[in-house]
Amino acid sequence: MEFRDYYKILNVPRSASPEEIRSSFRKLARQYHPDVAKDKKKDEEKFRQINEAYEVLGDPEKRKRYDQLGAAWQEGQEFQPPPQWRSGTRWTQTPEDFGFHVGGTGFSDFFEAFFADGGSLGSLFGHHRPSRMGMPRAGADVEADLAITLEEALHGTSKALLLRRQQSGKPGGRTQTYHVSIPAGVREGQRIRMAGQGQPAPAGGRPGDLFLRIRYAKHPYFRVEGSDLLYELELPPWSAALGTQADIPALGGKARLRIPPGSSSGQKFRLAGLGMPRKEGGRGDLYVTLTIRMPKSPTPEERALWEKLAQVSPPERSKGG
């Protein structure tokens, strides 16, 4: 399989801090997000790579495991993990080792082999179903993650999957394309069943099913918490002190938020009904958390104004007095 250099994809050094990794992801994800893609096919592939890289490097445990794979591999080489990796709890079989591969899920073979939920690709494959009395044993079910954007989850979409099955005595196997309809309002973790598209059955039994487990792709603006979306709004101190109107990104558009005078860092504002679909119907909310962005290097004129403000403002008083 091909090694994925996640640091190169996010354009950060291996020594990058979590804040640097997050900042680079947001910048790149905004540039290549499908909603603003100029070259749709090329930019969407780039967006998938950026998401996959952040899925690993943005998670401390996954990043630690990734760093154990070594830094000497070049893109395009046939990748074999270092010996110490094999002695761990994870293993390194590729999808082809199972004679079954699902393409078009939004994740590379490299990610699925080492970082997919559940510990390894092997754990995504179910067991053969027990046969009823006198009936052939059914084929094994297969489960794989399918990455979609928050916008696709809200409005619904269609995904083209490539299913490659190894056939006995035939090199390369058989590849088929299936278009899967993702319903509007699908939730993370929800499974979509493709009947009869799992592993073939031994002795003439019916094949297993393929279950696609929905995963939300990381978003450049929002974090998902249940059915709610969380957004951080940075404001300069004068805007927080005087009050302002702010345009807030929302799925499929923008929302206008009034920031009252005297707002403080950490203050939350709720925009009802602009979150993700709820299981019981309707949509969750969008919560905006205010962060005051102080100027790092004020100009002489700005410094003079801050000093003037300090002179005319009342002195700070402790809580006790």
Side-chain angles (χ1 to χ4, degrees):
M1 80 184 66
E2 181 181 334
F3 179 78
R4 288 295 180 102
D5 189 337
Y6 292 141
Y7 290 101
K8 182 178 178 180
I9 291 173
L10 288 185
N11 195 28
V12 294
R14 296 183 72 87
S15 58
S17 67
E19 291 74 21
E20 289 172 326
I21 290 173
R22 183 185 179 197
S23 175
S24 184
F25 161 74
R26 285 184 165 182
K27 178 181 178 181
L28 291 170
R30 290 169 185 170
Q31 180 180 349
Y32 293 100
H33 193 276
D35 280 358
V36 297
K38 297 179 181 178
D39 185 331
K40 193 168 181 64
K41 186 174 181 180
K42 183 179 178 180
D43 288 358
E44 283 188 353
E45 174 58 29
K46 182 69 174 178
F47 182 76
R48 284 193 291 268
Q49 293 179 13
I50 292 166
N51 251 277
E52 182 175 304
Y54 187 62
E55 185 79 27
V56 174
L57 299 186
D59 182 300
E61 181 57 34
K62 287 180 180 177
R63 182 183 182 184
K64 181 180 178 181
R65 293 203 308 266
Y66 177 75
D67 288 342
Q68 291 173 354
L69 292 174
W73 297 96
Q74 298 298 317
E75 209 170 330
Q77 284 187 326
E78 186 67 19
F79 176 68
Q80 292 293 330
Q84 65 268 23
W85 185 275
R86 294 182 182 274
S87 63
T89 58
R90 300 175 65 84
W91 57 295
T92 59
Q93 288 173 287
T94 65
E96 286 75 9
D97 294 325
F98 295 95
F100 189 104
H101 180 229
V102 184
T105 62
F107 297 105
S108 68
D109 293 350
F110 178 81
F111 178 89
E112 289 181 334
F114 296 104
F115 302 103
D117 286 347
S120 72
L121 182 67
S123 68
L124 298 180
F125 285 74
H127 300 287
H128 289 284
R129 299 176 190 170
S131 61
R132 296 180 180 177
M133 187 67 65
M135 296 183 65
R137 187 173 59 172
D141 293 337
V142 179
E143 186 174 271
D145 287 339
L146 177 62
I148 63 174
T149 65
L150 299 186
E151 290 82 0
E152 290 172 333
L154 179 62
H155 301 294
T157 187
S158 177
K159 293 289 184 180
L161 297 184
L162 298 177
L163 271 59
R164 185 168 66 248
R165 298 177 177 85
Q166 193 69 39
Q167 292 179 295
S168 179
K170 295 183 179 181
R174 178 171 60 99
T175 301
Q176 293 175 290
T177 301
Y178 293 88
H179 291 274
V180 184
S181 179
I182 310 298
V186 68
R187 299 179 305 280
E188 186 163 40
Q190 186 174 335
R191 299 196 309 171
I192 295 176
R193 176 174 174 253
M194 296 178 63
Q197 300 304 325
Q199 291 280 41
R206 69 185 182 90
D209 299 331
L210 171 60
F211 290 91
L212 301 172
R213 184 174 55 214
I214 296 298
R215 290 275 301 275
Y216 289 162
K218 303 293 185 185
H219 199 280
Y221 295 112
F222 307 119
R223 289 187 297 113
V224 182
E225 191 173 277
S227 298
D228 297 327
L229 295 176
L230 310 181
Y231 174 75
E232 294 181 7
L233 174 63
E234 290 188 348
L235 282 182
W238 46 89
S239 293
L242 301 175
T244 188
Q245 298 277 342
D247 286 328
I248 307 299
L251 296 182
K254 292 182 179 180
R256 193 80 166 168
L257 178 64
R258 177 183 174 273
I259 308 297
S263 295
S264 58
S265 192
Q267 192 168 344
K268 283 188 177 183
F269 301 89
R270 172 175 170 261
L271 295 173
L274 294 183
M276 296 302 294
R278 287 182 172 140
K279 186 176 182 180
E280 61 275 16
R283 291 176 60 179
D285 302 325
L286 170 58
Y287 287 92
V288 179
T289 300
L290 188 62
T291 299
I292 307 300
R293 184 183 69 250
M294 300 298 296
K296 293 182 178 180
S297 302
T299 65
E301 183 180 4
E302 288 174 329
R303 185 174 182 84
L305 291 173
W306 282 111
E307 290 173 348
K308 178 65 175 178
L309 180 63
Q311 293 173 5
V312 301
S313 297
E316 291 187 12
R317 301 179 63 185
S318 65
K319 291 183 179 180

